[in-house]
Amino acid sequence: EAEVAQSPRYKITEKSQAVAFWCDPISGHATLYWYRQILGQGPELLVQFQDESVVDDSQLPKDRFSAERLKGVDSTLKIQPAELGDSAMYLCASRLTGARETQYFGPGTRLLVL
Amino acid sequence: KQEVTQIPAALSVPEGENLVLNCSFTDSAIYNLQWFRQDPGKGLTSLLLIQSSQREQTSGRLNASLDKSSGRSTLYIAASQPGDSATYLCAVMDAGNMLTFGGGTRLMVKP
């Protein structure tokens, strides 16, 4: 069964450094999401793509976070510079375009900022 | 802004018990509601999806109900097993296909 791939699975970095996360959605899924999940809480949406276009990035801290999906397939989420409060699980999800389709989640990247 | 609340935050039960997890949401204008399972340090697995026009969905030992007008959903787990131990997340989707999650219920089923 096709899955959403994410890498790296774990990342430890020092504050003020740059980090990047990669997501490869299920083939054919035009919609891609990045979520942040702080320990003990539910995921919160950071950005949604439809193909290569950003649909919603209202919750993305744009002073330090950026996201791109240049060819409408895989996507990269970057943090520059990382802060202690960015320590969290970063989840990627994808779905087929269609109102009744569920989102499929990847395994996530756990980030620890020291 | 949609807010989703899950009660209880944590639950510990002996194996074999039937249990109910609760989810409430503030805005009834939802497109669908989903229940997810999350194992420690892992991603989310969709368990059940209920469209706004539906009242319930069943999968094996799991049954989810939806009362959109009152802003509530319940997840019923029958004959719980240690393998059911995980965090269960409720999420509602709006017309813009955005998911809003609750904080989750951490379930421990003791052998």
Side-chain angles (χ1 to χ4, degrees):
Chain A
E1 182 176 308
E3 297 179 341
V4 176
Q6 289 188 248
S7 67
R9 294 292 309 279
Y10 306 93
K11 179 70 177 179
I12 300 174
T13 191
E14 295 184 345
K15 63 181 181 179
S16 80
Q17 295 298 304
V19 293
F21 314 131
W22 178 79
C23 172
D24 190 13
I26 295 172
S27 178
H29 283 197
T31 309
L32 184 147
Y33 306 82
W34 283 101
Y35 292 86
R36 177 170 60 184
Q37 185 179 24
I38 295 170
L39 191 63
Q41 299 181 19
E44 294 183 320
L45 181 69
L46 291 174
V47 61
Q48 177 187 351
F49 288 92
Q50 181 67 31
D51 298 308
E52 68 276 7
S53 300
V54 173
V55 173
D56 187 320
D57 63 356
S58 59
Q59 300 304 309
L60 190 70
K62 298 182 187 61
D63 57 334
R64 298 184 300 107
F65 286 65
S66 64
E68 60 183 17
R69 194 184 183 198
L70 294 177
K71 297 182 179 180
V73 181
D74 58 336
S75 176
T76 301
L77 179 69
K78 298 179 181 178
I79 308 175
Q80 164 72 46
E83 296 181 353
L84 296 178
D86 296 331
S87 295
M89 173 78 88
Y90 290 83
L91 294 163
C92 178
S94 70
R95 65 189 270 287
L96 284 169
T97 301
R100 296 178 179 271
E101 296 295 334
T102 190
Q103 295 183 21
Y104 293 87
F105 283 79
T109 295
R110 182 168 293 283
L111 173 66
L112 178 61
V113 182
L114 302 176
Chain B
K1 179 183 176 183
Q2 179 76 267
E3 293 184 2
V4 181
T5 303
Q6 291 188 243
I7 295 173
L11 182 63
S12 180
V13 300
E15 181 177 6
E17 274 204 7
N18 302 323
L19 53 98
V20 175
L21 308 182
N22 297 291
C23 171
S24 62
F25 46 95
T26 54
D27 186 349
S28 62
I30 65 170
Y31 203 90
N32 62 44
L33 182 145
Q34 277 187 271
W35 284 92
F36 291 88
R37 170 183 172 140
Q38 186 175 32
D39 292 292
K42 301 293 179 61
L44 279 63
T45 300
S46 180
L47 296 173
L48 291 164
L49 184 153
I50 312 176
Q51 300 296 342
S52 61
S53 59
Q54 298 177 319
R55 298 282 296 182
E56 66 177 341
Q57 282 286 335
T58 298
S59 176
R61 295 182 293 108
L62 305 180
N63 176 275
S65 66
L66 173 64
D67 184 342
K68 197 174 79 162
S69 61
S70 68
R72 295 182 181 182
S73 175
T74 60
L75 178 66
Y76 176 82
I77 303 177
S80 59
Q81 303 171 358
D84 295 331
S85 299
T87 295
Y88 291 81
L89 292 156
C90 165
V92 296
M93 179 177 283
D94 61 22
N97 297 320
M98 302 296 182
L99 278 179
T100 302
F101 284 85
T105 294
R106 293 181 300 282
L107 173 66
M108 171 80 70
V109 181
K110 299 177 180 178

